[in-house]
């Protein structure tokens, strides 16, 4: 089965369990760019337990992300990640939030995401929810940070590397403000323990 077909099958299955779920992140971006994708990222208004029960017919490969509301499945050869919508607390050591709170609001969830083009939510009917002009940036080929780039990079220094990698992968240009912040704060990457 093609990843696009599997995505909408899974979104519909979650909906059948009264859980609103959405294709998100690199998966929704690549879907909208009509690019092939093998990792499937889904976000859900369900709690981790609700998501687990709804997906009980599939092989769970990792439940260790429960603190962040992340469940990983292997479904028809695809890595599928289902994450509960969340709001995050202040970041620790420029990498991870101190706490998460599960929510059911897409717009609030979108504020924790990194780039506008990775915050495009697609439901089981194909409707796109865009709170940060990500569709415009996708069309124009721009990598733009959600929120203040300086604040966001200081929260999580890995975003510097992600921005550069994504720019190279997609052949998109960095937003001027983001590029300036990266050039002035590149030394933050030395704080990463990766």
């Amino acid at each position: 089965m093609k990843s696009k077909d599997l995505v909408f099958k899974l979104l519909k299955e979650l909906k059948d369990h009264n859980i609103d779920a959405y294709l998100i992140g690199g998966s929704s971006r690549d879907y909208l760019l009509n690019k092939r994708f093998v990792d499937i990222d889904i976000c859900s208004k369900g709690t981790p337990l609700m998501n687990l029960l709804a997906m009980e017919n599939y092989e769970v490969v990792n439940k260790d992300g429960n603190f962040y509301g992340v469940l990983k499945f292997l479904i028809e050869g695809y890595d599928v990640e289902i994450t509960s919508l969340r709001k995050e607390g202040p970041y620790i050591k420029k990498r991870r939030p101190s706490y998460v709170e599960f929510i059911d609001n897409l717009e609030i969830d979108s504020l924790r995401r990194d780039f506008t083009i990775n915050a495009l939510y697609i439901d089981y009917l194909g409707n796109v929810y865009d709170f940060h002009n990500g569709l415009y940036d996708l069309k124009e080929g721009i990598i733009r940070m959600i929120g203040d780039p300086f604040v966001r990079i200081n929260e999580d220094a890995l975003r510097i590397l992600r921005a550069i990698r994504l720019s190279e992968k997609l052949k998109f240009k960095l937003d001027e403000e983001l590029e300036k912040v990266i050039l002035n704060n590149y030394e933050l990457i030395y704080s990463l323990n990766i």
Side-chain angles (χ1 to χ4, degrees), residues 113-118 132-134 136-137 140-147 149 163 166 172-178:
R113 298 195 176 270
D114 51 12
F115 310 112
T116 61
I117 61 172
N118 287 347
H132 306 284
N133 297 315
Y136 173 83
D137 289 343
E140 296 298 316
I142 300 169
I143 307 295
R144 187 183 323 271
M145 188 72 68
I146 294 172
L166 196 54
F172 280 20
K173 62 184 175 193
L174 294 173
D175 167 64
E176 286 180 24
E177 187 181 357
L178 175 57

Side-chain angles (χ1 to χ4, degrees), residues 20 25-26 36-37 39 73 77 88 95 101 104 115 120 129 138 147 149 159 169 172 174 186:
D20 291 329
R36 183 177 172 271
F37 57 95
D39 293 334
F73 299 86
E88 298 178 337
R95 186 64 193 105
E101 175 186 338
D104 67 357
F115 310 112
L120 298 165
Y129 302 86
L138 201 62
R159 290 177 177 143
K169 176 184 173 184
F172 280 20
L174 294 173
Y186 69 90

Side-chain angles (χ1 to χ4, degrees), residues 94 145-157 159-160 177-182 184-188:
K94 299 193 184 304
M145 188 72 68
I146 294 172
D148 181 332
F150 178 77
V151 171
R152 300 307 307 279
I153 282 173
N154 273 279
E155 282 177 341
D156 183 353
R159 290 177 177 143
I160 293 172
E177 187 181 357
L178 175 57
E179 183 175 18
K180 183 178 173 183
V181 168
I182 287 173
N184 290 331
N185 297 277
Y186 69 90
E187 73 281 352
L188 290 173

Side-chain angles (χ1 to χ4, degrees), residues 10-22 42-55 82-85 123-124:
L10 295 174
L11 293 177
K12 180 68 169 73
E13 282 184 31
L14 286 161
K15 184 67 174 173
D16 290 345
H17 284 85
N18 296 313
I19 299 171
D20 291 329
Y22 308 84
I42 293 173
C43 63
S44 157
K45 290 186 177 182
T47 64
L49 180 58
M50 291 168 64
N51 294 331
L52 188 60
L53 292 173
M55 297 285 104
I82 300 178
T83 303
S84 297
L85 298 180
D123 70 15
Y124 77 104

